[in-house]
Amino acid sequence: MRQIDHFMPTASPAPSRKAQVWNPSTGEIQAEVALGDAALLEQAVATAKSVQPEWAATNPQKRARVMFKFKELIEANMQELAELLSSEHGKVVDDAKGDVQRGLEVIEYACGIPQVLKGEYTQGAGPGIDVYSMRQPLGIGAGITPFNFPAMIPMWMFGMAIAAGNAFILKPSERDPSVPVRLAELFVEAGAPEGLLQVVHGDKEMVDAILDHPDIPAISFVGSSDIANYIYHRGAENGKRVQAFGGAKNHGIVMPDADLDQVVNDLTGAAFGSAGERCMALPVVVPVGEDTANRLREKLLPAIAALRIGVSNDPEAHYGPVVTPEHKARIEQWINVAEEEGGEIVVDGRGFSLQGHEDGFFVGPTLIDHVTTKMTSYQEEIFGPVLQIVRAKDFEEAVRLPSEHQYGNGVAIFTRNGHAAREFASRVNVGMVGINVPIPVPVSYHSFGGWKRSGFGDIDQYGTEGLSFWTKNKKVTQRWPDGSPDGGNAFVIPTMG
Ligand code: NAD
């Protein structure tokens, strides 16, 4: 059986607990991953401490060169990375390429680190006084990442952290751990010092060790909300800087004037792509008015019937299996709950079996109509290929639904009316808004982050916010006296006159 080890120059030879890694398309166990503990983390931290000061002292342009080289290597290895990712996650290979690509875009942004690190300067802030600021690295950053984007989310984190001068310890999901290791190997090949980026595998035991380690000042987490909440509080109690992004239940508002054919295209991709295992998926559609709802449902049915579910390396498949047998069971259980709560199961994906791959973890596309806000299946995240229709009577209700939901990651509105779109974007209580854009993940030079139970802490991922997260801002107020006496009174707070 293939063994997946930690990626660190001093990996411990001690035997450790292991977790199994599935091939979701076949239902077979394809590898075992080592699960680290506090002692292993101690080694990783010691290594990180030994390499970080020299890296921080390397000028930003040289650091950028490593990033440029890393970008080239990722591009050169795109196919291999995508196939590996797809075989452990279950998403189809083209979608896996998108996973790598969206992470790569943050690496591209990090290539511009000399520009974004320049700081601010004011000459003559007072008599003979200048003020400037500089962003300095924190030391060692840690990232704890979910299974659903095993390339993109690690790169969001370590790309910014390392370019800013930190060492980084990544604890990826134990369900698809191979790609993060491969990325770390490529990073060394790109010229990064060994030990600057380390990958430690593990479960709660390793996460707790990270949360409690006194020499890790900042932690970025992405995963489900209860764990995000836990990470945020335990990390903050230990005096760390923490950003923790959680689950989601994104709504797609469909106004009566929307181009419904386009909406159906967008919705089928955003609800069922990657088997719905995306935090920016659109699992809830909110048609405004009964007539819009009926027309939309009519058009959705043939589009759903045309979806092709296949093994993850089937080039014709729209989506593949979900990640584990437990997750398949959990999704099907949510469909049961929705039915018991009174939802109308219009298309039922339960019990789906792919011919020739009966042991794979496939879930058929599911459409549930007449879902209401009282249903737990509406309130909670399902994270599967399940689309729920919640009918809103008017625009006001359509603004209220996502605004009052416990999650506030993304939302989209489909309309031809600029005023309605503008009004919606300004009023809705959600962190990322799409206007006729179903998956509004901001580009790498903006920043990413949801609100409410989708995001704990207040600094976003990547862009200038990412840079703020991984650095501390030092402010210098300087005066170079010309030698003449300064008659100021030292006992009052200095002002700029
Ligand atoms: P998860 O919360 O199960 O796991 C995330 C990470 O936490 C993993 O590294 C895992 O090993 C670790 N972990 C798991 N249980 C833990 C525990 N009890 N204590 C400490 N650490 C623990 O999430 P997942 O199933 O891997 O990913 C799917 C979830 O992530 C969904 O809820 C999805 O919405 C969310 N997600 C959110 C975003 C976002 O940006 N908001 C992006 C992607 C995924």
Side-chain angles (χ1 to χ4, degrees):
M1 172 113 10
R2 185 163 64 93
Q3 300 293 315
I4 303 164
D5 210 348
H6 312 284
F7 184 82
M8 36 195 290
T10 59
S12 155
S16 67
R17 293 184 299 123
K18 299 209 161 142
Q20 296 169 328
V21 179
W22 295 101
N23 178 336
S25 295
T26 61
E28 288 160 357
I29 292 161
Q30 58 162 318
E32 280 181 338
V33 58
L35 300 177
D37 56 11
L40 188 100
L41 180 70
E42 206 55 64
Q43 287 183 28
V45 169
T47 303
K49 275 167 108 170
S50 71
V51 295
Q52 188 269 335
E54 197 179 332
W55 177 250
T58 306
N59 77 51
Q61 193 139 13
K62 284 192 177 157
R63 299 206 298 259
R65 280 186 201 130
V66 174
M67 292 293 167
F68 273 112
K69 184 73 193 156
F70 182 49
K71 164 187 156 57
E72 283 171 15
L73 287 171
I74 290 173
E75 281 165 346
N77 290 277
M78 177 64 90
Q79 187 67 25
E80 176 222 318
L81 287 165
E83 283 173 13
L84 184 60
L85 194 162
S86 158
S87 78
E88 291 183 357
H89 177 287
K91 64 175 77 173
V92 296
V93 174
D94 275 352
D95 195 28
K97 283 184 186 161
D99 187 331
V100 178
Q101 178 63 29
R102 287 306 300 250
L104 179 58
E105 288 167 13
V106 172
I107 301 299
E108 288 170 341
Y109 180 74
C111 289
I113 197 72
Q115 170 68 14
V116 292
L117 263 185
K118 276 190 334 198
E120 295 169 330
Y121 187 91
T122 302
Q123 186 173 13
I129 290 181
D130 309 320
V131 178
Y132 64 93
S133 63
M134 54 179 123
R135 300 221 66 110
Q136 297 188 321
L138 304 171
I140 305 174
I144 301 161
T145 53
F147 82 86
N148 69 323
F149 280 101
M152 176 182 84
I153 293 177
M155 283 194 269
W156 283 2
M157 296 175 181
F158 76 70
M160 294 307 298
I162 290 182
N166 299 286
F168 199 83
I169 298 176
L170 173 66
K171 205 303 286 171
S173 170
E174 63 278 34
R175 298 188 221 164
D176 45 11
S178 292
V179 164
V181 170
R182 195 68 197 106
L183 291 173
E185 287 168 359
L186 292 174
F187 199 52
V188 172
E189 211 178 311
E194 281 195 31
L196 189 64
L197 171 60
Q198 298 176 89
V199 181
V200 296
H201 300 293
D203 51 15
K204 180 170 168 49
E205 186 177 346
M206 176 56 86
V207 171
D208 285 348
I210 294 172
L211 287 170
D212 294 341
H213 202 292
D215 295 331
I216 299 178
I219 297 180
S220 180
F221 171 89
V222 177
S224 51
S225 288
D226 287 347
I227 315 274
N229 190 14
Y230 165 74
I231 303 274
Y232 181 71
H233 284 96
R234 185 153 167 177
E237 237 168 58
N238 287 333
K240 297 181 192 308
R241 185 179 290 189
V242 186
Q243 55 175 198
F245 297 96
K249 191 91 178 192
N250 300 345
H251 294 49
I253 312 303
V254 182
M255 295 297 286
D257 66 351
D259 173 349
L260 284 194
D261 292 319
Q262 184 61 45
V263 169
V264 166
N265 272 342
D266 288 346
L267 262 183
T268 45
F272 303 112
S274 199
E277 293 171 318
R278 290 184 187 137
C279 69
M280 290 296 275
L282 273 188
V284 177
V285 61
V286 182
V288 175
E290 281 300 312
D291 176 58
T292 314
N294 295 337
R295 285 187 296 127
L296 179 70
R297 175 171 157 166
E298 195 81 349
K299 283 180 182 281
L300 270 170
L301 288 174
I304 292 175
L307 286 172
R308 181 178 162 119
I309 296 111
V311 290
S312 66
N313 59 5
D314 172 355
E316 305 291 316
H318 295 114
Y319 75 84
V322 301
V323 67
T324 58
E326 294 78 22
H327 194 48
K328 173 180 157 86
R330 188 173 169 274
I331 295 165
E332 296 195 334
Q333 179 54 24
W334 270 121
I335 303 172
N336 296 342
V337 170
E339 191 170 37
E340 283 155 22
E341 291 177 321
E344 181 197 353
I345 313 292
V346 184
V347 181
D348 191 349
R350 286 171 293 189
F352 180 92
S353 167
L354 186 70
Q355 212 182 1
H357 297 275
E358 288 76 8
D359 293 332
F361 314 140
F362 297 95
V363 181
T366 299
L367 181 68
I368 310 176
D369 198 357
H370 300 290
V371 172
T372 68
T373 55
K374 299 222 164 22
M375 298 180 184
T376 53
S377 59
Y378 165 76
Q379 292 154 4
E380 300 297 333
E381 180 180 46
I382 298 177
F383 220 54
V386 179
L387 178 61
Q388 294 174 300
I389 303 177
V390 181
R391 295 168 176 238
K393 64 176 184 309
D394 55 21
F395 177 76
E396 286 304 315
E397 190 179 359
V399 178
R400 209 173 62 241
L401 284 168
S403 297
E404 290 181 352
H405 200 281
Q406 63 164 330
Y407 294 117
N409 213 37
V411 69
I413 184 166
F414 300 93
T415 180
R416 291 185 170 101
N417 180 331
H419 176 71
R422 184 171 182 273
E423 190 69 8
F424 181 81
S426 109
R427 283 173 51 194
V428 72
N429 184 20
V430 169
M432 291 173 280
V433 181
I435 297 174
N436 298 313
V437 171
I439 304 184
V441 176
V443 291
S444 63
Y445 40 97
H446 284 259
S447 62
F448 179 101
W451 292 357
K452 299 181 279 182
R453 276 179 59 80
S454 298
F456 301 82
D458 53 7
I459 305 186
D460 284 349
Q461 295 270 10
Y462 64 76
T464 49
E465 294 251 329
L467 186 79
S468 300
F469 186 79
W470 296 112
T471 54
K472 14 183 209 199
N473 192 24
K474 184 174 279 178
K475 292 71 59 182
V476 179
T477 303
Q478 69 175 2
R479 184 167 69 106
W480 296 100
D482 60 7
S484 52
D486 169 356
N489 184 336
F491 297 98
V492 298
I493 179 85
T495 67
M496 291 302 155

